[in-house]
Amino acid sequence: MKVLLLGGTGEARTLAELLTAEGIDVVSSLAGRTTDARLPLGEVRKGGFGGADGLGDWLREHRVDAMIDATHPFAATMTAHAVAASRDTGVPLVVLRRPGWTPGPGDNWHWAESATAAAGLLPDLRIKRVFLTIGRQGLDAFATTGLWTLARCVDPPEPRPTWCALVLARGPFTLADELGLLLQHNIDVLVTKDSGGPATSAKLDAARELHLPVVVIRRPPLPTDLTTVESVDQAVEWAVQRAV
């Protein structure tokens, strides 16, 4: 059995290892936007496919039996292409999405539908210093807020913004890491995406401990009539069932 694994996440790397151990031929596809990305076990291809049609052609040419989308929860375009290619070729698809974050006691969260909407919420919060943890895409929405802003990214945006300070770092981060950063820069609001998972959740714990408001950008909705799972083990089970 041959599986195309749309990856780039920690779950995808674990999934590639487990599927290979099951005797399944895995090709992991990475978008190639992140430098020095952690590569999964097995065959790896980098770069786009040329849209849904290009992905469909690749599935046919390489005789793929199944496809697993384990991309980031905000990789909506890639997921849409995978759904369209699956319907066009008949190659079965499952989408692995880790559960999103939920606020707990003591949290002061404000939900937004987009980066632009998140930036629009900031004036009402009466804050002065912003910490952005939304990656490189969407930063420009905050360029005109007039607030002092620190943005954390894995790789520097191009062109490099002059309106904010940058810190380049890759998770996972500890609670001590996040508390130190927030206190060092006198941050009074955190802006993040609802990525879910433990690798970058310590910032939420730190914001709670410091009684800071958090603006959370909602995930884009998944297409309807789609098979989804929430864990690596469930994705492995789905693939193994089709390999029998």
Side-chain angles (χ1 to χ4, degrees):
M1 181 182 183
K2 187 169 188 175
V3 170
L4 175 63
L5 174 57
L6 306 175
T9 59
E11 291 95 338
R13 289 189 294 274
T14 302
L15 188 53
E17 182 177 348
L18 294 176
L19 291 175
T20 300
E22 293 285 348
I24 295 174
D25 183 11
V26 180
V27 180
S28 294
S29 175
L30 305 180
R33 295 191 183 96
T34 302
T35 60
D36 298 324
R38 300 167 184 168
L39 298 181
L41 182 68
E43 183 179 348
V44 177
R45 71 172 302 280
K46 293 184 178 182
F49 291 92
D53 291 340
L55 175 55
D57 292 340
W58 195 94
L59 293 172
R60 295 186 188 94
E61 179 183 351
H62 292 83
R63 300 181 180 277
V64 172
D65 299 296
M67 182 167 42
I68 301 176
D69 177 0
T71 56
H72 192 275
F74 283 80
T77 299
M78 188 66 252
T79 297
H81 290 170
V83 170
S86 173
R87 290 172 178 167
D88 182 48
T89 62
V91 174
L93 167 71
V94 67
V95 176
L96 168 60
R97 283 293 182 271
R98 68 183 83 116
W101 291 318
T102 56
D107 284 327
N108 178 17
W109 287 16
H110 305 263
W111 291 92
E113 299 299 323
S114 65
T116 300
L121 289 177
L122 296 181
D124 293 336
L125 298 180
R126 301 180 183 277
I127 47 85
K128 296 180 179 180
R129 298 176 71 86
V130 182
F131 181 32
L132 298 179
T133 62
I134 63 172
R136 291 180 293 176
Q137 297 182 355
L139 285 183
D140 288 347
F142 297 85
T144 59
T145 64
L147 301 169
W148 187 92
T149 302
L150 174 68
R152 181 168 66 196
C153 309
V154 174
D155 295 310
E158 295 295 342
R160 197 178 184 104
T162 57
W163 55 269
C164 68
L166 283 178
V167 57
L168 303 180
R170 187 196 303 270
F173 304 103
T174 67
L175 176 58
D177 293 333
E178 301 294 51
L179 285 171
L181 189 65
L182 294 172
L183 291 170
Q184 176 187 352
H185 296 282
N186 296 314
I187 298 298
D188 49 18
V189 66
L190 166 67
V191 180
T192 190
K193 291 179 175 180
D194 182 20
S195 300
T200 57
S201 64
K203 60 193 171 189
L204 301 173
D205 299 329
R208 182 186 309 116
E209 188 165 323
L210 297 175
H211 306 290
L212 302 183
V214 180
V215 176
V216 185
I217 301 173
R218 295 186 191 275
R219 297 177 175 190
L222 288 171
T224 59
D225 301 325
L226 188 63
T227 301
T228 61
V229 295
E230 292 187 342
S231 71
V232 169
D233 288 343
Q234 290 173 336
V236 171
E237 181 181 0
W238 179 89
V240 169
Q241 287 176 347
R242 281 149 185 79
V244 175

